Amino acid sequence: MTANPTSSLSAQNALRRFTLLLPGEDALDSKEEQAMGDRPVQGLPHERFLLGKLVPLAPVLLLGQTSQVVSPSEVIACLQPVHLHATRDHLILMGQNQIDLTQTESTELLKAALPFIEEDFQSSILLHGQYYWFVPAGPFTSLESYSIDQAHGRNIDWWMPRDTNQEGMAKRWRKLQNEIQMLWHIHPVNEEREQRGMPSINSLWISGIGKLSDVQAPQIILQSNHLYGSHPLLAGLAKFLNISHSTILNSPTAGSFAWLDNPESVWPTLSTALSNKELDEVLLIDFPKGKARERVFTAKDLDRKSWAFWKKAEPLTWKEIISS
């Protein structure tokens, strides 16, 4: 196994390599926290890796969920209906996978909030789906915001949008957010959800503000001939870079890049491909303590090392691989 490969591009292209990305969580040490000052770093580690330091999530997510043309220069925001859970002294943002929002509920909530959204954003909604709504950012272009994936399960005070070069926009957003919260508080969708014992949809979250021209994809993506994964972020990135994309990985092919929901399920297939010399290498990218780490696995790296050379070598488990 080789850590942080530094081989030349021509050498990498000559190898039959498959790349597997494992998403990461924020894990900041004290030095980074001090450098951050009064605000968090935008984007989860894998989002920054895929999109660059500006992390323009909204336009890439939009591109991954629509056939319409998205202008590279248009600044777009992502809006999401959410549940804020009240604790004794603060509010916690719940993840989208915890609220069980239906397409019908999403549509009805948007219908009620639409006049307020269009008035403040000074534009029409570009696309609305079950979990994501997209709108030109307009006056909110300068806001610094944080995705639900980054902020869920945490005190929202630290993750609320911040002003950057234009003062007062964060306050303007909070005013709109409060208006929609009051509107949805008495909405029939929430009355129905309450009867079913479901968490209410009691707020609207903004994130991902940016434009496609802000994307700074890594070389490993630019050199890939196919992207695999179901996340709309990967679908949008593939479309923007004109790289073929599939949601499901049937067989690993050289030159491909994958970000999968259950990466452990594909490891036996990758191991077999290495053993059968169908692949030369598997590049595993993960983010221990929030830092990008690249490790190359070849066929000789698949088994545990043992001093008992006369015994049959046992293959490394997935848990051993990701914890090493």
Side-chain angles (χ1 to χ4, degrees), residues 80-87 90-96 99 148 151-157 160 177-178 181 199-205:
Q80 292 175 272
V82 297
H83 175 77
L84 300 180
H85 174 68
T87 67
H90 61 271
L91 296 173
I92 293 176
L93 176 64
M94 289 181 65
Q96 293 293 85
I99 61 177
I148 291 178
H152 75 91
R154 297 172 168 180
N155 183 343
I156 67 165
D157 290 346
M160 291 293 283
Q177 188 182 39
N178 288 336
Q181 285 175 176
S200 63
I201 307 303
N202 58 8
S203 192
L204 187 66
W205 196 259

Side-chain angles (χ1 to χ4, degrees), residues 19-73:
T19 302
L20 182 62
L21 176 81
L22 307 182
E25 295 292 335
D26 287 321
L28 304 172
D29 59 33
S30 58
K31 290 182 180 178
E32 287 176 305
E33 289 173 334
Q34 290 170 11
M36 280 164 35
D38 65 344
R39 61 191 65 210
V41 173
Q42 272 190 294
L44 289 167
H46 60 281
E47 295 170 343
R48 297 193 296 271
F49 178 84
L50 292 171
L51 302 182
K53 62 181 181 180
L54 297 178
V55 204
L57 286 165
V60 181
L61 286 169
L62 171 61
L63 198 62
Q65 299 176 68
T66 182
S67 58
Q68 64 183 270
V69 175
V70 180
S71 170
S73 60

Side-chain angles (χ1 to χ4, degrees), residues 254-265:
S256 297
F257 178 100
W259 169 19
L260 306 171
D261 292 332
N262 298 297
E264 65 277 11
S265 66

Side-chain angles (χ1 to χ4, degrees), residues 1 264 267-268 270-272 274-275 284 295-306 312-324:
M1 180 185 69
E264 65 277 11
W267 185 251
L270 294 175
S271 299
T272 300
L274 287 172
S275 299
L284 191 65
R295 292 176 293 160
V296 170
F297 290 83
T298 62
K300 64 182 178 61
D301 300 314
L302 297 176
D303 295 329
R304 292 194 191 98
K305 305 300 184 214
S306 173
K312 184 179 180 181
E314 294 185 4
L316 287 168
T317 65
W318 176 250
K319 185 177 180 180
E320 289 171 327
I321 289 168
I322 62 173
S323 62
S324 63

Side-chain angles (χ1 to χ4, degrees), residues 160-296:
M160 291 293 283
R162 318 285 179 108
D163 287 332
T164 54
N165 58 6
Q166 188 177 358
E167 290 188 12
M169 298 318 301
K171 183 177 180 180
R172 182 171 172 179
W173 163 254
R174 287 194 297 272
K175 180 176 179 294
L176 172 60
Q177 188 182 39
N178 288 336
E179 288 173 339
I180 291 174
Q181 285 175 176
M182 290 187 288
L183 184 71
W184 286 352
H185 179 67
I186 56 173
H187 196 280
V189 162
N190 277 323
E191 292 177 358
E192 213 171 274
R193 288 177 64 87
E194 186 178 356
Q195 291 173 2
R196 290 188 284 126
M198 301 299 296
S200 63
I201 307 303
N202 58 8
S203 192
L204 187 66
W205 196 259
I206 186 170
S207 66
I209 299 170
K211 54 186 185 294
L212 287 175
S213 60
D214 290 334
V215 172
Q216 297 172 317
Q219 283 298 312
I220 191 66
I221 289 282
L222 299 175
Q223 295 162 14
S224 298
N225 54 38
H226 200 100
L227 305 186
Y228 290 97
S230 61
H231 199 290
L233 185 64
L234 201 63
L237 192 58
K239 189 180 294 186
F240 177 62
L241 299 173
N242 198 27
I243 301 172
S244 59
H245 169 260
S246 303
T247 57
I248 299 173
L249 174 65
N250 292 316
S251 60
T253 55
S256 297
F257 178 100
W259 169 19
L260 306 171
D261 292 332
N262 298 297
E264 65 277 11
S265 66
V266 79
W267 185 251
T269 304
L270 294 175
S271 299
T272 300
L274 287 172
S275 299
N276 294 342
K277 301 187 181 339
E278 296 164 4
L279 292 174
D280 297 318
E281 298 179 348
V282 171
L283 173 60
L284 191 65
I285 303 174
D286 59 358
F287 303 88
K289 297 183 178 180
K291 309 270 191 196
R293 176 178 64 169
E294 299 183 6
R295 292 176 293 160
V296 170

